Structure formats: structure tokens, C-alpha cells
Amino acid sequence: MLFPETISKKLNIPYPVIQAPMFGVSTPEMVAASADAGCLGSLALGDLPAEKCIPLIRKTRSLTEKPFAVNIFVHDIPEITAGLREKYTEAKAFVETFAAENGLNVNLPALEDLTVNTYHEQLEAIIDEGCGILSFTFAIPDEESIGRLKEKNMLLIGTSTSVEEALLLEKAGIDLIVVQGIEAGGHRGTFNTENIPQIGGMSLLSQIADHIDVPLMYSGGIYNAKTMQAARALGAEGFQVGSMLLAAQESALLPFERERLKTVQENDIVLTKSFSGRYARGISNRYIRKLEGSDYILPYPYQNKLTGALRNAARLQQDADFVSIWLGQSIHDYSTQSAKNILENLIEEYKQLP
Ligand SMILES: Cc1cc2nc3c(=O)[nH]c(=O)nc-3n(C[C@H](O)[C@H](O)[C@H](O)COP(=O)(O)O)c2cc1C
């Protein structure tokens, strides 16, 4: 089967296949390996401060001369009110106590000790570093930022989880849209709404394709050539794959997290706000079961910052009950080959389709 050309031409890559940005999992090495397979690697910068973004961009550039995307979380920072202070203190105490009861002793940061940065600082660093492709999730950068990025001729890739969001991205002049089905692993890209749309990939992609002229890439549940073919039939001109690469050689997952992938069952996969304050799909564990739906979940990014130290401590102790292992709905054997081999095999399989 032939790959559509629109997106690969725009991105200057052989195949319209994107290695999904996966903050905490994808690495500069994964980006370079994906570029070697003729795909677009994505360097996930999440909400890192600018000074941490710069070395990662430079490292990636030292590993590949091919195009790659940098990816950021575009999010507002809620004002710190008296109510938030109180809630934070309660959540901190609750989580510390629950962790200690389960053998994980950790002091979580006080609200005053958190460093919370805006995407604007990241954008300055990304522009200064001369990056050519920016993808983003959680919202759309403000108009002024988009103007600046366009002035620099940057190609912009946004994420949509509803037709309404796709229309807003199109209106904002975004070059390519990633349609993120509810199947997708990791955070929902949904724009700052409490009740996230939970639209399955098939329905969402087809409806967005009916309304939008911007080229679409599909993301969520792709794990072989047939799933790509289905997305193609529904209007996708490109494909973004995440979970398929979780156990790749270049993944930052630790050995105990990779082991967990081998035993995961279909009913283990849940959407949860408990780690970050935003919905994300991953493997359920003791922490999620206790926290989900409780009063101890703060708005993003405060919950994310609160639980960062918890997750680091759990990783040191190899405790899968207190880490966030994000994963999509297509459970299969996760290849431990290089991302280059995994993507090359996927592309070859697609080409062999009738
Ligand atoms: C571990 C993990 C981390 C993720 N982190 C990000 C991220 O930093 N930025 C982003 O735009 N999407 C992120 N996502 C979502 C992916 O870009 C993509 O939508 C998703 O992986 C597609 O579904 P799949 O996992 O079924 O392939 C993440 C997904 C996973 C599995």
C-alpha cells in the first residue's frame, strides 16, 4: 500500500509516520533512531524549564542531522489561592501517609518550593535553538506566540481530541493536526475543559476529516499496518505511534516498568487524573485506585509537581504501585528492538498490504 505524500513532503521525511512524543519515555536516542527509519522523531519536552530543554535539543541534534519535532505541554498556570494552598497541604499529607503505609517513605515538596514554568519560556529557547518543527498538546499557544513561531517559519503540529478542538487549531493556522483517539496512551490533549470528550478514534477521525482541510495524522491504538490502513481509510494522511515503542531499546522505561508491560491485562488500562491533575491513560495500580475520584487531586500542574517526588522515589525502589506507566489500549507484545527496527518493520508491513 502506498503512503500518502502530503505530510512527508511538508515534514521533509520519507514516511508520514511520527514517533509520538512521550515525556519520560522517549529520549534523544529514540528520536534519532526514528529519524533513521525515515520517520519524524519527536523530542518530548513536557513542561521542562527552558534550561533543561536546551541540552536535550542539542543532544538530539548531535545524534541526527535529520528533521525532528520538539513537543511541549501548552498549559495555563492556575492562580494560587487560599483554597488551593489548603487543598495542596491536605493532598500532600494524604499522599505521604498513604505511601508510607505502603512502604514508601517520601517527603513531597511544599507548594512554596515548586518551580512552575510557562510554555512561553520554552518557546523562546526552542526559537533560539533554531528548531524547525514544534508539536504541542493541552492547548493552542496564544496568538502572539503563533505569530512569532510562524515568523521563524516553524511548522506547527497541534493535538485535537474533538471536532471543536480541530476547528480551533485550523482557525489558528496550525499546519498539521494530530487526531488523538480515546485509545491513546498518555495524557489527553484536551483543551482545558473539565469533562474531557471521550471519543473513540474511528468516530473522531472520520468526523474531523469531514470538517477540516488541514492534513490529519492519527494517533491512538496503532500497533500494526492494518490499524494504519483503517486510519488511512477514515481520512488520516499520517500516523503517530506511541505505545508500540515503549519497550524499545532507546526507551527511558526502567527494567521493572518494562516487566510490568509483559503482564498487563486489558482491564488494567484506565484513564486517571490522579498523578497529574489531567486525564491520562495508563496502567492502574494501588496509588491510582486510592486517589482516583478522591478530594486529593489538584489542578495541573500542581498535582503533577506534587507527585513528581513520589514517582521518583518509587522508581528508585522499583515499586510499580506508585509510578505512572502510561499505555494505550492496544495491548500486545512490546518489541525490545531499536525504535529504528520497530518502525522499519511497521513501514514494510504497511507497504505489503494489498
Ligand atoms: C508514555 C507516554 C507518554 C506520552 N507523552 C506525551 C507527550 O509528552 N506529549 C504528547 O503530545 N503526547 C504524549 N503522549 C501521547 C502520544 O503522543 C500519542 O497520542 C499516543 O501515544 C498514541 O496512542 P498509542 O499509545 O496507542 O500509540 C504520550 C503517550 C505515552 C504512551
Side-chain angles (χ1 to χ4, degrees):
M1 186 150 188
L2 287 179
F3 279 103
E5 287 186 338
T6 324
I7 288 180
S8 36
K9 279 194 180 148
K10 271 188 186 281
L11 297 173
N12 195 21
I13 50 170
Y15 303 110
V17 177
I18 300 187
Q19 164 251 310
M22 291 185 283
F23 190 55
V25 170
S26 51
T27 55
E29 288 78 9
M30 185 183 280
V31 176
S34 305
D36 277 347
C39 303
L40 185 77
S42 311
L43 180 67
L45 299 172
D47 59 358
L48 287 176
E51 66 270 20
K52 290 200 172 158
C53 296
I54 294 167
L56 287 170
I57 295 170
R58 292 186 183 168
K59 172 87 191 281
T60 308
R61 199 162 273 145
S62 75
L63 297 174
T64 184
E65 287 177 355
K66 302 193 169 112
F68 63 91
V70 289
N71 173 270
I72 57 166
F73 295 162
V74 173
H75 62 87
D76 292 333
I77 298 180
E79 192 194 333
I80 299 185
T81 57
L84 181 69
R85 268 181 212 289
E86 194 181 323
K87 233 187 139 187
Y88 188 96
T89 309
E90 286 169 12
K92 172 171 150 41
F94 183 82
V95 173
E96 282 174 349
T97 306
F98 179 61
E101 283 166 7
N102 288 280
L104 192 67
N105 290 306
V106 58
N107 283 325
L108 301 179
L111 186 57
E112 297 71 45
D113 298 336
L114 299 183
T115 322
V116 177
N117 38 279
T118 70
Y119 69 89
H120 294 102
E121 300 157 31
Q122 290 177 307
L123 288 184
E124 287 313 309
I126 287 166
I127 289 171
D128 288 349
E129 289 300 304
C131 297
I133 306 171
L134 173 74
S135 68
F136 52 86
T137 187
F138 295 0
I140 309 179
D142 59 51
E143 234 178 280
E144 197 187 326
S145 300
I146 293 197
R148 264 183 58 62
L149 295 162
K150 293 218 160 213
E151 242 171 54
K152 302 285 171 189
N153 289 322
M154 286 190 74
L155 188 131
L156 304 180
I157 307 178
T159 309
S160 63
T161 64
S162 66
V163 175
E164 193 186 322
E165 288 168 1
L167 287 166
L168 290 171
L169 287 161
E170 182 173 58
K171 199 166 157 216
I174 304 308
D175 301 288
L176 300 173
I177 296 179
V178 171
V179 174
Q180 191 189 40
I182 194 71
E183 300 89 333
H187 278 98
R188 308 294 310 141
T190 301
F191 304 171
N192 301 324
T193 132
E194 268 297 303
N195 298 318
I196 55 162
Q198 300 195 33
I199 311 171
M202 236 170 79
S203 228
L204 181 63
L205 177 56
S206 179
Q207 291 182 84
I208 292 183
D210 284 347
H211 287 84
I212 299 285
D213 291 326
V214 176
L216 304 177
M217 277 160 301
Y218 179 68
S219 187
I222 288 178
Y223 72 103
N224 59 13
K226 277 192 295 182
T227 44
M228 289 162 79
Q229 188 180 28
R232 175 78 192 109
L234 292 170
E237 299 196 66
F239 316 91
Q240 177 162 294
V241 297
S243 297
M244 261 194 98
L245 300 168
L246 281 176
Q249 263 168 30
E250 301 84 358
S251 157
L253 282 191
L254 296 177
F256 82 97
E257 294 169 315
R258 292 163 182 263
E259 279 305 306
R260 183 66 189 96
L261 287 180
K262 290 184 189 161
T263 58
V264 68
Q265 305 290 310
E266 286 170 318
N267 58 351
D268 290 333
I269 307 296
V270 294
L271 271 179
T272 180
K273 271 174 118 167
S274 59
F275 275 110
S276 70
R278 283 191 61 104
Y279 277 109
R281 183 176 297 290
I283 305 178
S284 183
N285 59 17
R286 194 173 284 202
Y287 170 85
I288 293 174
R289 285 190 292 273
K290 184 75 176 176
L291 266 286
E292 194 59 28
S294 77
D295 290 336
Y296 303 107
I297 301 180
L298 307 155
Y300 184 93
Y302 298 108
Q303 187 76 2
N304 203 35
K305 298 282 178 194
L306 174 73
T307 65
L310 177 81
R311 286 175 278 156
N312 287 341
R315 286 188 111 208
L316 280 176
Q317 286 196 25
Q318 305 185 20
D319 183 346
D321 266 321
F322 285 87
V323 288
S324 50
I325 305 180
W326 302 136
L327 176 62
Q329 286 182 333
S330 296
I331 299 176
H332 51 90
D333 289 336
Y334 297 94
S335 171
T336 55
Q337 293 181 10
S338 156
K340 176 172 187 283
N341 291 349
I342 298 172
L343 292 170
E344 279 175 350
N345 290 342
L346 180 67
I347 287 164
E348 203 39 51
E349 202 192 317
Y350 183 88
K351 286 183 184 166
Q352 300 302 323
L353 286 171

